[in-house]
Amino acid sequence: MNFEGTYVAMVTPFDNKGNIDEEGLRSNINYLIDKGVNGLVGAGTTGESATITHDEHKQIIEVLVDEVDGRVETIAGTGSNSTSEALNLTKFAQDIGVDAALVITPYYNKPQQHALVNHYQAVGTCDLPIIAYNVPSRTGVNMDVETIVEIAKIDNIDAVKEASGSVDKVSDIYNALLAEGLEDDFNILSGEDSLTLPIMAVGGTGVISASANIDAKRMVLMVDSILNDDYDRAFELHNEMLELIRALFIESNPVPVKTSMNLMGLPAGDLRAPLAPMKEENLEVLKKALKNAELI
């Protein structure tokens, strides 16, 4: 499967009793589709996957597939620090009918590089396109360039969401894929919103974006501009969004994103503990960025 364009790492909205706000989730899905996104990710890490139950995880995936109804691509977050759990979640997502799964590298247990290959070989036995997710700041393990090339050779592992913070690494990944003749069969997606422009300039084909929950329109326009080789327009949009993107990561994701959505009147609700509301001084920075972006 070819992954190209803007994909949104959706938040999970909760109601005033702390349960999943299914009506709000459906509303957010339609809001983002109307903004022109190419796909939606449900039950990923921005969706607080670490603190939702297995039943809630499955509920989110079911609602995503049902509400999207084929209008854009659907991607289920199905990663875990347990290979068997990731495999079972991915099989569930496959049976529900998602278009793809996003599988984060196992966190905390810090598997070796060859163990990461084994992990994705196991998950790749599902009949579903898989996006590997490399985010060492969250997981404690960083997939090497060589490891990413090895998993690119696995059936059904079709892309990587790269969030190591290094544009040089993306260049190295792309050149290594090129040397193996894999560049047309394996996509690199930005996992860091502020680096999407440079990542796409050196071989990326799109972004899985948390900030697109807030400003999907500009993110879509920037990514589409890059895909159409209009880098002047992309650079303008990148600079327009930069203050807001920085403010959205001033505290742990998705705290500022959900805070912003609540300020904008979009369904988000509270955070699941141990996450907590923003510090007042950071909230003021976020409000200023939202006002400058004309979103509140």
Side-chain angles (χ1 to χ4, degrees):
M1 182 173 174
N2 186 47
F3 295 97
E4 183 178 278
T6 302
Y7 300 84
V8 185
M10 295 187 69
V11 306
T12 299
F14 298 118
D15 62 23
N16 55 15
K17 295 182 180 178
N19 300 314
I20 290 175
D21 177 5
E22 184 173 316
E23 183 178 342
L25 178 57
R26 291 180 184 273
S27 176
N28 288 339
I29 288 167
N30 290 308
Y31 172 81
L32 292 168
I33 291 174
D34 288 345
K35 297 293 183 182
V37 303
N38 298 94
L40 299 171
V41 180
T45 49
T46 297
E48 296 175 84
S49 58
T51 51
I52 58 176
T53 68
H54 284 180
D55 286 343
E56 289 174 327
H57 202 121
K58 293 175 179 179
Q59 179 187 355
I60 293 165
I61 296 170
E62 289 172 332
V63 170
L64 178 68
V65 172
D66 179 65
E67 191 63 32
V68 168
D69 194 25
R71 289 176 290 168
V72 296
E73 294 169 21
T74 52
I75 302 172
T78 60
S80 170
N81 63 342
S82 162
T83 298
S84 61
E85 186 173 296
L87 180 57
N88 289 335
L89 279 172
T90 306
K91 285 179 177 176
F92 173 83
Q94 173 189 313
D95 292 342
I96 290 297
V98 299
D99 295 305
L102 177 65
V103 179
I104 195 168
T105 56
Y107 41 87
Y108 182 77
N109 36 26
K110 296 181 73 173
Q112 315 97 302
Q113 294 297 310
H114 64 276
L116 290 171
V117 175
N118 294 341
H119 178 77
Y120 285 106
Q121 283 176 332
V123 178
T125 60
C126 296
D127 187 19
L128 189 68
I130 306 293
I131 304 168
Y133 182 13
N134 185 45
V135 55
S137 65
R138 292 278 192 156
T139 63
V141 62
N142 191 2
M143 277 199 291
D144 294 341
V145 172
E146 295 78 11
T147 303
I148 293 171
V149 173
E150 282 305 303
I151 70 168
K153 298 174 183 176
I154 301 170
D155 288 345
N156 296 324
I157 310 297
D158 291 345
V160 63
K161 178 183 177 182
E162 175 56 33
S164 64
S166 172
V167 177
D168 282 352
K169 183 181 179 184
V170 175
S171 294
D172 291 341
I173 294 168
Y174 184 78
N175 286 325
L177 292 170
L178 197 64
E180 296 280 351
L182 297 168
E183 74 279 2
D184 292 331
D185 300 319
F186 189 83
N187 296 120
I188 305 168
L189 298 169
S190 169
E192 301 209 26
D193 291 350
S194 63
L195 296 181
T196 297
L197 173 57
I199 283 173
M200 291 186 68
V202 297
T205 58
V207 62
I208 297 179
S209 168
S211 68
N213 284 283
I214 308 305
D215 198 1
K217 182 178 179 180
R218 266 182 278 224
M219 185 62 76
V220 168
L221 286 172
M222 185 187 75
V223 170
D224 287 353
S225 295
I226 299 167
L227 292 171
N228 291 318
D229 293 325
D230 186 355
Y231 278 89
D232 288 341
R233 180 62 176 137
F235 187 66
E236 290 174 2
L237 290 159
H238 166 82
N239 282 322
E240 285 179 19
M241 291 188 291
L242 194 54
E243 179 191 10
L244 177 59
I245 290 172
R246 286 173 173 163
L248 288 170
F249 293 94
I250 197 170
E251 292 188 15
S252 297
N253 183 50
V255 177
V257 171
K258 292 191 86 170
T259 303
S260 297
M261 291 177 69
N262 287 325
L263 290 168
M264 294 168 65
L266 297 171
D270 291 333
L271 300 145
R272 284 266 171 99
L275 295 179
M278 294 181 70
K279 291 182 177 179
E280 189 61 36
E281 60 266 33
N282 290 336
L283 178 59
E284 292 307 311
V285 171
L286 179 62
K287 286 180 178 178
K288 180 176 180 291
L290 288 165
K291 288 175 182 176
N292 289 343
E294 299 181 342
L295 292 169
I296 61 172

